[in-house]
């Protein structure tokens, strides 16, 4: 009753594309730079609304606006998604935050379900392979969501969020490589983080 009307009124940047979620309770925009930490999530949000609630065309148009902006301005040839861009789409910080890529995979998968656009599915799959490559690098220091760690350190949150993006994607594609990556996430969480004797999972 409160949040959805606000998003319907002011969440989409109809002028430049993408989303402007930095809005106060009165609907005033408080910041215009766009971080992919949330752009992919909002793409998921509108796609999910469309898929779940009566195929409202406004939700689909809102999702398309985000998809077009992301694919035009926010990804490089290696399928690394930029961390932050200006309102117009100029890079502020290129790839830095692994979660920006993960949430974009989440959004692309749901958008593919809504539209059947193969480009969305293909980008999601290729981005999943790229995220996997980065995380498994011995040089990886878990940046972007908290402090740097020693090279090779893995975080529970990384596996968890990555799995959260891969699981719905696997409902829409049968890519065997993505399935194996998802299985690896589960295995690593259970093998390296879950402590059954105390009933807790360690973060790093």
């Amino acid at each position: 009753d409160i949040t959805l009307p606000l998003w319907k009124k002011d969440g989409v940047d109809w002028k430049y594309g993408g989303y402007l979620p930095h809005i106060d309770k009165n609907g005033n925009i408080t910041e215009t730079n766009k971080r992919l930490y949330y752009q992919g999530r909002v793409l998921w949000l509108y796609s999910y609304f469309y898929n779940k609630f009566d195929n409202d065309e406004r939700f689909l148009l809102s999702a398309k606006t985000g998809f077009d902006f992301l694919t035009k301005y926010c990804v490089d040839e290696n399928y690394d998604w930029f961390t932050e861009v200006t309102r117009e789409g100029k890079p502020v910080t290129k790839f830095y935050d692994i979660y920006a890529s993960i949430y974009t995979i989440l959004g692309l998968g749901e958008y593919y379900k809504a539209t059947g656009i193969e480009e969305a599915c293909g980008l999601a799959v290729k981005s999943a392979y790229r995220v996997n490559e980065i995380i498994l690098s011995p040089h990886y220091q878990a940046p972007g969501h908290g402090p740097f760690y020693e090279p090779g350190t893995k975080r529970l949150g990384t596996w968890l969020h990555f799995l959260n993006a891969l699981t719905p994607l696997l409902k829409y594609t049968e890519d065997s490589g993505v399935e194996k990556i998802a299985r690896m996430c589960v295995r690593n969480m259970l093998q390296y983080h879950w402590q059954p004797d105390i009933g807790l999972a360690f973060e790093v």
Side-chain angles (χ1 to χ4, degrees):
D1 294 334
I2 297 173
T3 306
L4 188 53
L6 192 62
W7 276 97
K8 286 179 109 172
K9 178 176 180 292
D10 292 302
V12 180
D13 187 349
W14 296 110
K15 184 174 182 180
Y16 294 105
Y19 308 108
L20 293 166
H22 292 285
I23 48 182
D24 62 24
K25 63 182 180 180
N26 297 315
N28 300 311
I29 297 170
T30 60
E31 184 178 337
T32 60
N33 275 7
K34 297 166 182 174
R35 297 183 184 89
L36 267 71
Y37 186 82
Y38 56 73
Q39 292 291 316
R41 284 174 155 178
V42 182
L43 172 61
W44 174 86
L45 185 77
Y46 282 119
S47 300
Y48 184 83
F49 284 158
Y50 176 78
N51 290 330
K52 292 293 184 179
F53 304 119
D54 302 323
N55 298 132
D56 186 326
E57 289 297 324
R58 182 175 176 84
F59 291 143
L60 186 61
L61 183 58
S62 299
K64 182 181 186 304
T65 300
F67 175 77
D68 291 346
F69 181 84
L70 287 167
T71 54
K72 183 175 182 180
Y73 297 113
C74 301
V75 64
D76 65 19
E77 65 278 2
N78 296 317
Y79 304 104
D80 289 328
W81 295 86
F82 299 162
T83 295
E84 184 176 359
V85 297
T86 65
R87 182 176 183 181
E88 298 82 6
K90 295 179 181 178
V92 175
T93 304
K94 291 193 174 183
F95 176 77
Y96 170 78
D97 185 355
I98 196 73
Y99 293 90
S101 295
I102 289 173
Y103 300 143
T104 302
I105 294 167
L106 181 70
L108 289 169
E110 196 69 21
Y111 186 70
Y112 172 65
K113 180 185 178 183
T115 63
I117 294 174
E118 292 294 336
E119 180 189 4
C121 184
L123 277 171
V125 170
K126 291 172 183 175
S127 299
Y129 279 106
R130 178 59 178 155
V131 168
N132 183 62
E133 178 184 359
I134 293 168
I135 294 172
L136 295 183
S137 166
H139 307 293
Y140 180 67
Q141 292 185 269
H145 191 68
F148 279 90
Y149 292 88
E150 290 185 6
T153 301
K154 305 298 188 289
R155 299 183 59 156
L156 173 64
T158 304
W159 304 124
L160 183 69
H161 286 269
F162 196 18
L163 181 64
N164 183 60
L166 298 177
T167 300
L169 179 61
L170 285 167
K171 295 178 181 178
Y172 320 134
T173 178
E174 297 181 354
D175 188 276
S176 60
V178 172
E179 180 186 0
K180 295 302 188 296
I181 294 170
R183 288 177 179 271
M184 178 197 66
C185 290
V186 174
R187 176 174 52 78
N188 285 339
M189 287 191 289
L190 293 174
Q191 183 173 344
Y192 295 109
H193 298 272
W194 174 240
Q195 307 293 316
D197 54 326
I198 58 174
L200 294 173
F202 292 158
E203 173 65 7
V204 296

